[in-house]
Amino acid sequence: MARLTALDNAMGDLFSREEAPDRWLAPGALHLPGGATRLGPGSRWLHAWIDAVSARAPFRHMQTPGGQTMSVAMTNAGPLGWVSDRQGYRYSPLDPLSHVPWPPLPPELLELARRGAEAAGFAGFVPDACLINRYEPGARMSLHQDRDEADLNHPIVSLSLGLGAEFLLGGLGRRDPVQRLILHGGDLLVLGGEARLRFHGVAPLKAGAEGEVRFNLTLRRAAP
Ligand code: SIN
Ligand code: FE2
């Protein structure tokens, strides 16, 4: 169970994470607290799965097209993986480090993503890519849109693990006001429809118990 944050304490013990209600942040943007447990087999097993993925496709700090090194370490699973380097952002069927396919997506994760998307009104979601982000204290993701996928009618389903983090949800314009919420380990967040191109990001991760990290898995449909 993720450690309590100041926000949870302020809310009192009204809800355990699994009982907190789903919340629409905006049309098409649904936060499902504890969704990994309510809609699937929980998230404990995913730590071992991430270890297995990263044994084949190690976490790496990718370069942005502008030449910056990202603070978040990334790897992928599924038929396609998101990559960034000096040539730009794109999806690739092969890991550029090893030139072999990314590790496969387990059916349990596909099913969880399908159910999360369905809860937000997007039936029949079949992801073909899972970007796995690893945040250590201080790592952040600046505001961006996810727009490298061929068909933006498919939603994106995000699953957070480990340390909680402050997620920023902006609007369709880069300078629009930003909502802030804590994503805890086990939470799902769906961005689809009208919210599919909202800017979003993650504030610098605050240290938790020693050695703790945050992982975020985003399940996407990259090919049409
Ligand atoms: C992302 O936008 O790819 C990651 C979001 C997150 O870490 O919650
Ligand atoms: Fe994103």
PDB file of all heavy atoms in Angstrom, residues 20-58:
ATOM      1  N   ALA A  20     -11.965   4.746  -2.778  1.00  0.00           N
ATOM      2  CA  ALA A  20     -12.133   6.127  -3.231  1.00  0.00           C
ATOM      3  C   ALA A  20     -12.861   6.097  -4.575  1.00  0.00           C
ATOM      4  O   ALA A  20     -12.591   5.247  -5.421  1.00  0.00           O
ATOM      5  CB  ALA A  20     -10.775   6.803  -3.374  1.00  0.00           C
ATOM      6  N   PRO A  21     -13.796   7.006  -4.773  1.00  0.00           N
ATOM      7  CA  PRO A  21     -14.586   6.944  -6.003  1.00  0.00           C
ATOM      8  C   PRO A  21     -13.793   7.378  -7.238  1.00  0.00           C
ATOM      9  O   PRO A  21     -12.874   8.186  -7.136  1.00  0.00           O
ATOM     10  CB  PRO A  21     -15.732   7.929  -5.732  1.00  0.00           C
ATOM     11  CG  PRO A  21     -15.228   8.845  -4.668  1.00  0.00           C
ATOM     12  CD  PRO A  21     -14.195   8.091  -3.875  1.00  0.00           C
ATOM     13  N   ASP A  22     -14.187   6.841  -8.381  1.00  0.00           N
ATOM     14  CA  ASP A  22     -13.607   7.309  -9.640  1.00  0.00           C
ATOM     15  C   ASP A  22     -13.970   8.785  -9.808  1.00  0.00           C
ATOM     16  O   ASP A  22     -15.025   9.219  -9.365  1.00  0.00           O
ATOM     17  CB  ASP A  22     -14.186   6.516 -10.820  1.00  0.00           C
ATOM     18  CG  ASP A  22     -13.805   5.046 -10.746  1.00  0.00           C
ATOM     19  OD1 ASP A  22     -12.931   4.700  -9.921  1.00  0.00           O
ATOM     20  OD2 ASP A  22     -14.392   4.253 -11.495  1.00  0.00           O
ATOM     21  N   ARG A  23     -13.089   9.518 -10.448  1.00  0.00           N
ATOM     22  CA  ARG A  23     -13.338  10.958 -10.541  1.00  0.00           C
ATOM     23  C   ARG A  23     -13.010  11.456 -11.951  1.00  0.00           C
ATOM     24  O   ARG A  23     -11.904  11.225 -12.453  1.00  0.00           O
ATOM     25  CB  ARG A  23     -12.451  11.694  -9.526  1.00  0.00           C
ATOM     26  CG  ARG A  23     -12.824  13.158  -9.348  1.00  0.00           C
ATOM     27  CD  ARG A  23     -12.267  13.691  -8.042  1.00  0.00           C
ATOM     28  NE  ARG A  23     -10.844  13.923  -8.113  1.00  0.00           N
ATOM     29  CZ  ARG A  23     -10.289  15.082  -8.453  1.00  0.00           C
ATOM     30  NH1 ARG A  23     -11.044  16.117  -8.746  1.00  0.00           N
ATOM     31  NH2 ARG A  23      -8.981  15.220  -8.487  1.00  0.00           N
ATOM     32  N   TRP A  24     -13.983  12.134 -12.552  1.00  0.00           N
ATOM     33  CA  TRP A  24     -13.741  12.773 -13.849  1.00  0.00           C
ATOM     34  C   TRP A  24     -12.980  14.069 -13.605  1.00  0.00           C
ATOM     35  O   TRP A  24     -13.460  14.948 -12.902  1.00  0.00           O
ATOM     36  CB  TRP A  24     -15.063  13.072 -14.563  1.00  0.00           C
ATOM     37  CG  TRP A  24     -15.740  11.820 -15.024  1.00  0.00           C
ATOM     38  CD1 TRP A  24     -16.743  11.158 -14.386  1.00  0.00           C
ATOM     39  CD2 TRP A  24     -15.439  11.064 -16.205  1.00  0.00           C
ATOM     40  NE1 TRP A  24     -17.085  10.023 -15.096  1.00  0.00           N
ATOM     41  CE2 TRP A  24     -16.311   9.941 -16.218  1.00  0.00           C
ATOM     42  CE3 TRP A  24     -14.528  11.211 -17.248  1.00  0.00           C
ATOM     43  CZ2 TRP A  24     -16.279   8.991 -17.232  1.00  0.00           C
ATOM     44  CZ3 TRP A  24     -14.498  10.261 -18.261  1.00  0.00           C
ATOM     45  CH2 TRP A  24     -15.371   9.166 -18.249  1.00  0.00           C
ATOM     46  N   LEU A  25     -11.791  14.167 -14.180  1.00  0.00           N
ATOM     47  CA  LEU A  25     -10.988  15.383 -14.042  1.00  0.00           C
ATOM     48  C   LEU A  25     -11.409  16.397 -15.099  1.00  0.00           C
ATOM     49  O   LEU A  25     -11.269  17.599 -14.916  1.00  0.00           O
ATOM     50  CB  LEU A  25      -9.502  15.055 -14.207  1.00  0.00           C
ATOM     51  CG  LEU A  25      -8.990  13.926 -13.300  1.00  0.00           C
ATOM     52  CD1 LEU A  25      -7.580  13.517 -13.707  1.00  0.00           C
ATOM     53  CD2 LEU A  25      -9.015  14.365 -11.846  1.00  0.00           C
ATOM     54  N   ALA A  26     -11.915  15.877 -16.192  1.00  0.00           N
ATOM     55  CA  ALA A  26     -12.379  16.666 -17.334  1.00  0.00           C
ATOM     56  C   ALA A  26     -13.088  15.652 -18.230  1.00  0.00           C
ATOM     57  O   ALA A  26     -12.885  14.441 -18.064  1.00  0.00           O
ATOM     58  CB  ALA A  26     -11.188  17.286 -18.069  1.00  0.00           C
ATOM     59  N   PRO A  27     -13.904  16.110 -19.184  1.00  0.00           N
ATOM     60  CA  PRO A  27     -14.522  15.133 -20.085  1.00  0.00           C
ATOM     61  C   PRO A  27     -13.436  14.293 -20.778  1.00  0.00           C
ATOM     62  O   PRO A  27     -12.482  14.841 -21.331  1.00  0.00           O
ATOM     63  CB  PRO A  27     -15.281  16.006 -21.094  1.00  0.00           C
ATOM     64  CG  PRO A  27     -15.564  17.277 -20.327  1.00  0.00           C
ATOM     65  CD  PRO A  27     -14.353  17.488 -19.450  1.00  0.00           C
ATOM     66  N   GLY A  28     -13.550  12.974 -20.673  1.00  0.00           N
ATOM     67  CA  GLY A  28     -12.555  12.076 -21.281  1.00  0.00           C
ATOM     68  C   GLY A  28     -11.376  11.754 -20.396  1.00  0.00           C
ATOM     69  O   GLY A  28     -10.529  10.951 -20.773  1.00  0.00           O
ATOM     70  N   ALA A  29     -11.293  12.370 -19.209  1.00  0.00           N
ATOM     71  CA  ALA A  29     -10.141  12.133 -18.309  1.00  0.00           C
ATOM     72  C   ALA A  29     -10.665  11.572 -16.988  1.00  0.00           C
ATOM     73  O   ALA A  29     -11.254  12.305 -16.196  1.00  0.00           O
ATOM     74  CB  ALA A  29      -9.380  13.427 -18.058  1.00  0.00           C
ATOM     75  N   LEU A  30     -10.450  10.278 -16.772  1.00  0.00           N
ATOM     76  CA  LEU A  30     -10.986   9.607 -15.586  1.00  0.00           C
ATOM     77  C   LEU A  30      -9.850   9.057 -14.720  1.00  0.00           C
ATOM     78  O   LEU A  30      -8.977   8.328 -15.205  1.00  0.00           O
ATOM     79  CB  LEU A  30     -11.912   8.456 -16.011  1.00  0.00           C
ATOM     80  CG  LEU A  30     -12.616   7.712 -14.871  1.00  0.00           C
ATOM     81  CD1 LEU A  30     -13.584   8.617 -14.117  1.00  0.00           C
ATOM     82  CD2 LEU A  30     -13.368   6.486 -15.407  1.00  0.00           C
ATOM     83  N   HIS A  31      -9.890   9.423 -13.431  1.00  0.00           N
ATOM     84  CA  HIS A  31      -8.941   8.880 -12.439  1.00  0.00           C
ATOM     85  C   HIS A  31      -9.646   7.755 -11.696  1.00  0.00           C
ATOM     86  O   HIS A  31     -10.732   7.956 -11.155  1.00  0.00           O
ATOM     87  CB  HIS A  31      -8.540  10.009 -11.482  1.00  0.00           C
ATOM     88  CG  HIS A  31      -7.639   9.562 -10.376  1.00  0.00           C
ATOM     89  ND1 HIS A  31      -7.577  10.204  -9.160  1.00  0.00           N
ATOM     90  CD2 HIS A  31      -6.750   8.536 -10.291  1.00  0.00           C
ATOM     91  CE1 HIS A  31      -6.688   9.589  -8.383  1.00  0.00           C
ATOM     92  NE2 HIS A  31      -6.180   8.570  -9.055  1.00  0.00           N
ATOM     93  N   LEU A  32      -9.031   6.577 -11.692  1.00  0.00           N
ATOM     94  CA  LEU A  32      -9.601   5.413 -10.999  1.00  0.00           C
ATOM     95  C   LEU A  32      -8.662   5.014  -9.865  1.00  0.00           C
ATOM     96  O   LEU A  32      -7.734   4.209 -10.075  1.00  0.00           O
ATOM     97  CB  LEU A  32      -9.781   4.238 -11.970  1.00  0.00           C
ATOM     98  CG  LEU A  32     -10.709   4.461 -13.153  1.00  0.00           C
ATOM     99  CD1 LEU A  32      -9.914   4.550 -14.446  1.00  0.00           C
ATOM    100  CD2 LEU A  32     -11.704   3.313 -13.263  1.00  0.00           C
ATOM    101  N   PRO A  33      -8.869   5.570  -8.651  1.00  0.00           N
ATOM    102  CA  PRO A  33      -7.985   5.214  -7.529  1.00  0.00           C
ATOM    103  C   PRO A  33      -8.067   3.706  -7.246  1.00  0.00           C
ATOM    104  O   PRO A  33      -9.164   3.138  -7.225  1.00  0.00           O
ATOM    105  CB  PRO A  33      -8.561   6.023  -6.359  1.00  0.00           C
ATOM    106  CG  PRO A  33      -9.332   7.140  -7.003  1.00  0.00           C
ATOM    107  CD  PRO A  33      -9.894   6.546  -8.260  1.00  0.00           C
ATOM    108  N   GLY A  34      -6.928   3.090  -7.064  1.00  0.00           N
ATOM    109  CA  GLY A  34      -6.922   1.650  -6.778  1.00  0.00           C
ATOM    110  C   GLY A  34      -7.474   0.809  -7.913  1.00  0.00           C
ATOM    111  O   GLY A  34      -7.854  -0.348  -7.709  1.00  0.00           O
ATOM    112  N   GLY A  35      -7.489   1.342  -9.107  1.00  0.00           N
ATOM    113  CA  GLY A  35      -8.098   0.640 -10.248  1.00  0.00           C
ATOM    114  C   GLY A  35      -7.444  -0.700 -10.554  1.00  0.00           C
ATOM    115  O   GLY A  35      -8.106  -1.629 -11.025  1.00  0.00           O
ATOM    116  N   ALA A  36      -6.142  -0.820 -10.265  1.00  0.00           N
ATOM    117  CA  ALA A  36      -5.452  -2.093 -10.573  1.00  0.00           C
ATOM    118  C   ALA A  36      -6.034  -3.231  -9.742  1.00  0.00           C
ATOM    119  O   ALA A  36      -6.071  -4.379 -10.195  1.00  0.00           O
ATOM    120  CB  ALA A  36      -3.956  -1.955 -10.303  1.00  0.00           C
ATOM    121  N   THR A  37      -6.508  -2.913  -8.541  1.00  0.00           N
ATOM    122  CA  THR A  37      -7.096  -3.946  -7.684  1.00  0.00           C
ATOM    123  C   THR A  37      -8.590  -4.103  -7.962  1.00  0.00           C
ATOM    124  O   THR A  37      -9.114  -5.210  -7.973  1.00  0.00           O
ATOM    125  CB  THR A  37      -6.892  -3.567  -6.195  1.00  0.00           C
ATOM    126  OG1 THR A  37      -5.478  -3.455  -5.977  1.00  0.00           O
ATOM    127  CG2 THR A  37      -7.470  -4.609  -5.266  1.00  0.00           C
ATOM    128  N   ARG A  38      -9.251  -2.984  -8.208  1.00  0.00           N
ATOM    129  CA  ARG A  38     -10.700  -3.071  -8.418  1.00  0.00           C
ATOM    130  C   ARG A  38     -11.039  -3.695  -9.762  1.00  0.00           C
ATOM    131  O   ARG A  38     -12.066  -4.340  -9.919  1.00  0.00           O
ATOM    132  CB  ARG A  38     -11.343  -1.692  -8.287  1.00  0.00           C
ATOM    133  CG  ARG A  38     -11.346  -1.213  -6.835  1.00  0.00           C
ATOM    134  CD  ARG A  38     -12.162   0.033  -6.665  1.00  0.00           C
ATOM    135  NE  ARG A  38     -11.537   1.186  -7.288  1.00  0.00           N
ATOM    136  CZ  ARG A  38     -12.058   1.889  -8.301  1.00  0.00           C
ATOM    137  NH1 ARG A  38     -13.210   1.549  -8.822  1.00  0.00           N
ATOM    138  NH2 ARG A  38     -11.426   2.928  -8.783  1.00  0.00           N
ATOM    139  N   LEU A  39     -10.188  -3.487 -10.761  1.00  0.00           N
ATOM    140  CA  LEU A  39     -10.501  -3.990 -12.106  1.00  0.00           C
ATOM    141  C   LEU A  39      -9.605  -5.152 -12.520  1.00  0.00           C
ATOM    142  O   LEU A  39      -9.794  -5.705 -13.601  1.00  0.00           O
ATOM    143  CB  LEU A  39     -10.333  -2.868 -13.143  1.00  0.00           C
ATOM    144  CG  LEU A  39     -11.192  -1.620 -12.972  1.00  0.00           C
ATOM    145  CD1 LEU A  39     -10.923  -0.641 -14.107  1.00  0.00           C
ATOM    146  CD2 LEU A  39     -12.671  -1.981 -12.960  1.00  0.00           C
ATOM    147  N   GLY A  40      -8.619  -5.493 -11.701  1.00  0.00           N
ATOM    148  CA  GLY A  40      -7.673  -6.534 -12.109  1.00  0.00           C
ATOM    149  C   GLY A  40      -7.026  -7.177 -10.904  1.00  0.00           C
ATOM    150  O   GLY A  40      -7.495  -7.021  -9.779  1.00  0.00           O
ATOM    151  N   PRO A  41      -5.925  -7.894 -11.132  1.00  0.00           N
ATOM    152  CA  PRO A  41      -5.302  -8.678 -10.061  1.00  0.00           C
ATOM    153  C   PRO A  41      -4.362  -7.870  -9.161  1.00  0.00           C
ATOM    154  O   PRO A  41      -3.444  -8.431  -8.575  1.00  0.00           O
ATOM    155  CB  PRO A  41      -4.534  -9.750 -10.841  1.00  0.00           C
ATOM    156  CG  PRO A  41      -4.194  -9.105 -12.145  1.00  0.00           C
ATOM    157  CD  PRO A  41      -5.271  -8.092 -12.429  1.00  0.00           C
ATOM    158  N   GLY A  42      -4.548  -6.550  -9.040  1.00  0.00           N
ATOM    159  CA  GLY A  42      -3.651  -5.743  -8.218  1.00  0.00           C
ATOM    160  C   GLY A  42      -2.381  -5.417  -8.973  1.00  0.00           C
ATOM    161  O   GLY A  42      -2.276  -5.674 -10.185  1.00  0.00           O
ATOM    162  N   SER A  43      -1.395  -4.854  -8.255  1.00  0.00           N
ATOM    163  CA  SER A  43      -0.196  -4.411  -8.965  1.00  0.00           C
ATOM    164  C   SER A  43       1.092  -5.041  -8.449  1.00  0.00           C
ATOM    165  O   SER A  43       2.148  -4.814  -9.012  1.00  0.00           O
ATOM    166  CB  SER A  43      -0.107  -2.882  -8.905  1.00  0.00           C
ATOM    167  OG  SER A  43      -0.241  -2.431  -7.585  1.00  0.00           O
ATOM    168  N   ARG A  44       0.987  -5.843  -7.374  1.00  0.00           N
ATOM    169  CA  ARG A  44       2.193  -6.442  -6.798  1.00  0.00           C
ATOM    170  C   ARG A  44       3.013  -7.231  -7.823  1.00  0.00           C
ATOM    171  O   ARG A  44       4.224  -7.083  -7.920  1.00  0.00           O
ATOM    172  CB  ARG A  44       1.781  -7.427  -5.702  1.00  0.00           C
ATOM    173  CG  ARG A  44       2.315  -7.100  -4.362  1.00  0.00           C
ATOM    174  CD  ARG A  44       1.611  -7.985  -3.337  1.00  0.00           C
ATOM    175  NE  ARG A  44       1.100  -7.191  -2.259  1.00  0.00           N
ATOM    176  CZ  ARG A  44       1.841  -6.770  -1.256  1.00  0.00           C
ATOM    177  NH1 ARG A  44       3.109  -7.086  -1.192  1.00  0.00           N
ATOM    178  NH2 ARG A  44       1.327  -6.029  -0.318  1.00  0.00           N
ATOM    179  N   TRP A  45       2.324  -8.051  -8.599  1.00  0.00           N
ATOM    180  CA  TRP A  45       2.995  -8.923  -9.571  1.00  0.00           C
ATOM    181  C   TRP A  45       3.745  -8.135 -10.638  1.00  0.00           C
ATOM    182  O   TRP A  45       4.695  -8.630 -11.249  1.00  0.00           O
ATOM    183  CB  TRP A  45       1.962  -9.845 -10.233  1.00  0.00           C
ATOM    184  CG  TRP A  45       0.960  -9.111 -11.083  1.00  0.00           C
ATOM    185  CD1 TRP A  45      -0.130  -8.424 -10.654  1.00  0.00           C
ATOM    186  CD2 TRP A  45       0.975  -8.971 -12.508  1.00  0.00           C
ATOM    187  NE1 TRP A  45      -0.805  -7.864 -11.708  1.00  0.00           N
ATOM    188  CE2 TRP A  45      -0.155  -8.198 -12.869  1.00  0.00           C
ATOM    189  CE3 TRP A  45       1.819  -9.442 -13.529  1.00  0.00           C
ATOM    190  CZ2 TRP A  45      -0.451  -7.864 -14.190  1.00  0.00           C
ATOM    191  CZ3 TRP A  45       1.522  -9.112 -14.845  1.00  0.00           C
ATOM    192  CH2 TRP A  45       0.398  -8.328 -15.173  1.00  0.00           C
ATOM    193  N   LEU A  46       3.330  -6.894 -10.834  1.00  0.00           N
ATOM    194  CA  LEU A  46       3.931  -6.114 -11.916  1.00  0.00           C
ATOM    195  C   LEU A  46       5.378  -5.740 -11.629  1.00  0.00           C
ATOM    196  O   LEU A  46       6.156  -5.515 -12.559  1.00  0.00           O
ATOM    197  CB  LEU A  46       3.100  -4.857 -12.168  1.00  0.00           C
ATOM    198  CG  LEU A  46       1.814  -5.140 -12.941  1.00  0.00           C
ATOM    199  CD1 LEU A  46       0.852  -3.971 -12.843  1.00  0.00           C
ATOM    200  CD2 LEU A  46       2.139  -5.429 -14.419  1.00  0.00           C
ATOM    201  N   HIS A  47       5.754  -5.690 -10.334  1.00  0.00           N
ATOM    202  CA  HIS A  47       7.152  -5.372 -10.029  1.00  0.00           C
ATOM    203  C   HIS A  47       8.074  -6.472 -10.575  1.00  0.00           C
ATOM    204  O   HIS A  47       9.125  -6.183 -11.152  1.00  0.00           O
ATOM    205  CB  HIS A  47       7.344  -5.159  -8.528  1.00  0.00           C
ATOM    206  CG  HIS A  47       6.652  -3.917  -8.046  1.00  0.00           C
ATOM    207  ND1 HIS A  47       7.239  -2.671  -8.108  1.00  0.00           N
ATOM    208  CD2 HIS A  47       5.413  -3.717  -7.529  1.00  0.00           C
ATOM    209  CE1 HIS A  47       6.389  -1.762  -7.635  1.00  0.00           C
ATOM    210  NE2 HIS A  47       5.276  -2.371  -7.279  1.00  0.00           N
ATOM    211  N   ALA A  48       7.667  -7.727 -10.383  1.00  0.00           N
ATOM    212  CA  ALA A  48       8.473  -8.841 -10.913  1.00  0.00           C
ATOM    213  C   ALA A  48       8.471  -8.810 -12.445  1.00  0.00           C
ATOM    214  O   ALA A  48       9.489  -9.092 -13.092  1.00  0.00           O
ATOM    215  CB  ALA A  48       7.928 -10.171 -10.398  1.00  0.00           C
ATOM    216  N   TRP A  49       7.318  -8.452 -13.013  1.00  0.00           N
ATOM    217  CA  TRP A  49       7.244  -8.384 -14.476  1.00  0.00           C
ATOM    218  C   TRP A  49       8.174  -7.284 -15.015  1.00  0.00           C
ATOM    219  O   TRP A  49       8.902  -7.498 -15.987  1.00  0.00           O
ATOM    220  CB  TRP A  49       5.790  -8.131 -14.925  1.00  0.00           C
ATOM    221  CG  TRP A  49       5.678  -7.991 -16.411  1.00  0.00           C
ATOM    222  CD1 TRP A  49       5.855  -8.982 -17.337  1.00  0.00           C
ATOM    223  CD2 TRP A  49       5.428  -6.782 -17.141  1.00  0.00           C
ATOM    224  NE1 TRP A  49       5.717  -8.461 -18.609  1.00  0.00           N
ATOM    225  CE2 TRP A  49       5.447  -7.123 -18.511  1.00  0.00           C
ATOM    226  CE3 TRP A  49       5.178  -5.458 -16.772  1.00  0.00           C
ATOM    227  CZ2 TRP A  49       5.234  -6.182 -19.511  1.00  0.00           C
ATOM    228  CZ3 TRP A  49       4.957  -4.522 -17.778  1.00  0.00           C
ATOM    229  CH2 TRP A  49       4.988  -4.894 -19.124  1.00  0.00           C
ATOM    230  N   ILE A  50       8.168  -6.130 -14.341  1.00  0.00           N
ATOM    231  CA  ILE A  50       9.054  -5.040 -14.784  1.00  0.00           C
ATOM    232  C   ILE A  50      10.522  -5.474 -14.677  1.00  0.00           C
ATOM    233  O   ILE A  50      11.332  -5.177 -15.563  1.00  0.00           O
ATOM    234  CB  ILE A  50       8.785  -3.749 -13.979  1.00  0.00           C
ATOM    235  CG1 ILE A  50       7.411  -3.195 -14.348  1.00  0.00           C
ATOM    236  CG2 ILE A  50       9.871  -2.705 -14.229  1.00  0.00           C
ATOM    237  CD1 ILE A  50       6.954  -2.024 -13.482  1.00  0.00           C
ATOM    238  N   ASP A  51      10.859  -6.206 -13.608  1.00  0.00           N
ATOM    239  CA  ASP A  51      12.238  -6.722 -13.483  1.00  0.00           C
ATOM    240  C   ASP A  51      12.580  -7.613 -14.677  1.00  0.00           C
ATOM    241  O   ASP A  51      13.686  -7.531 -15.230  1.00  0.00           O
ATOM    242  CB  ASP A  51      12.399  -7.554 -12.202  1.00  0.00           C
ATOM    243  CG  ASP A  51      12.531  -6.682 -10.966  1.00  0.00           C
ATOM    244  OD1 ASP A  51      12.725  -5.454 -11.107  1.00  0.00           O
ATOM    245  OD2 ASP A  51      12.429  -7.241  -9.852  1.00  0.00           O
ATOM    246  N   ALA A  52      11.632  -8.467 -15.067  1.00  0.00           N
ATOM    247  CA  ALA A  52      11.883  -9.386 -16.191  1.00  0.00           C
ATOM    248  C   ALA A  52      12.014  -8.608 -17.502  1.00  0.00           C
ATOM    249  O   ALA A  52      12.887  -8.896 -18.325  1.00  0.00           O
ATOM    250  CB  ALA A  52      10.764 -10.426 -16.279  1.00  0.00           C
ATOM    251  N   VAL A  53      11.146  -7.612 -17.690  1.00  0.00           N
ATOM    252  CA  VAL A  53      11.243  -6.798 -18.916  1.00  0.00           C
ATOM    253  C   VAL A  53      12.597  -6.101 -18.966  1.00  0.00           C
ATOM    254  O   VAL A  53      13.292  -6.121 -19.988  1.00  0.00           O
ATOM    255  CB  VAL A  53      10.100  -5.736 -18.965  1.00  0.00           C
ATOM    256  CG1 VAL A  53      10.362  -4.713 -20.072  1.00  0.00           C
ATOM    257  CG2 VAL A  53       8.748  -6.406 -19.180  1.00  0.00           C
ATOM    258  N   SER A  54      12.990  -5.504 -17.823  1.00  0.00           N
ATOM    259  CA  SER A  54      14.206  -4.686 -17.866  1.00  0.00           C
ATOM    260  C   SER A  54      15.469  -5.533 -17.927  1.00  0.00           C
ATOM    261  O   SER A  54      16.535  -5.031 -18.269  1.00  0.00           O
ATOM    262  CB  SER A  54      14.247  -3.689 -16.704  1.00  0.00           C
ATOM    263  OG  SER A  54      14.322  -4.370 -15.491  1.00  0.00           O
ATOM    264  N   ALA A  55      15.344  -6.844 -17.624  1.00  0.00           N
ATOM    265  CA  ALA A  55      16.497  -7.733 -17.824  1.00  0.00           C
ATOM    266  C   ALA A  55      16.766  -7.912 -19.321  1.00  0.00           C
ATOM    267  O   ALA A  55      17.906  -8.092 -19.743  1.00  0.00           O
ATOM    268  CB  ALA A  55      16.254  -9.085 -17.159  1.00  0.00           C
ATOM    269  N   ARG A  56      15.701  -7.836 -20.132  1.00  0.00           N
ATOM    270  CA  ARG A  56      15.868  -7.974 -21.590  1.00  0.00           C
ATOM    271  C   ARG A  56      16.011  -6.641 -22.290  1.00  0.00           C
ATOM    272  O   ARG A  56      16.708  -6.519 -23.305  1.00  0.00           O
ATOM    273  CB  ARG A  56      14.641  -8.699 -22.171  1.00  0.00           C
ATOM    274  CG  ARG A  56      14.725 -10.205 -22.011  1.00  0.00           C
ATOM    275  CD  ARG A  56      13.469 -10.883 -22.502  1.00  0.00           C
ATOM    276  NE  ARG A  56      13.124 -10.578 -23.893  1.00  0.00           N
ATOM    277  CZ  ARG A  56      12.013 -11.011 -24.485  1.00  0.00           C
ATOM    278  NH1 ARG A  56      11.155 -11.755 -23.814  1.00  0.00           N
ATOM    279  NH2 ARG A  56      11.769 -10.714 -25.739  1.00  0.00           N
ATOM    280  N   ALA A  57      15.259  -5.654 -21.801  1.00  0.00           N
ATOM    281  CA  ALA A  57      15.239  -4.327 -22.426  1.00  0.00           C
ATOM    282  C   ALA A  57      15.491  -3.319 -21.301  1.00  0.00           C
ATOM    283  O   ALA A  57      14.548  -2.836 -20.674  1.00  0.00           O
ATOM    284  CB  ALA A  57      13.890  -4.080 -23.094  1.00  0.00           C
ATOM    285  N   PRO A  58      16.759  -3.047 -21.008  1.00  0.00           N
ATOM    286  CA  PRO A  58      17.086  -2.258 -19.818  1.00  0.00           C
ATOM    287  C   PRO A  58      16.493  -0.841 -19.849  1.00  0.00           C
ATOM    288  O   PRO A  58      16.329  -0.260 -20.927  1.00  0.00           O
ATOM    289  CB  PRO A  58      18.617  -2.177 -19.841  1.00  0.00           C
ATOM    290  CG  PRO A  58      19.069  -3.182 -20.835  1.00  0.00           C
ATOM    291  CD  PRO A  58      17.944  -3.453 -21.774  1.00  0.00           C
TER     292      PRO A  58
END
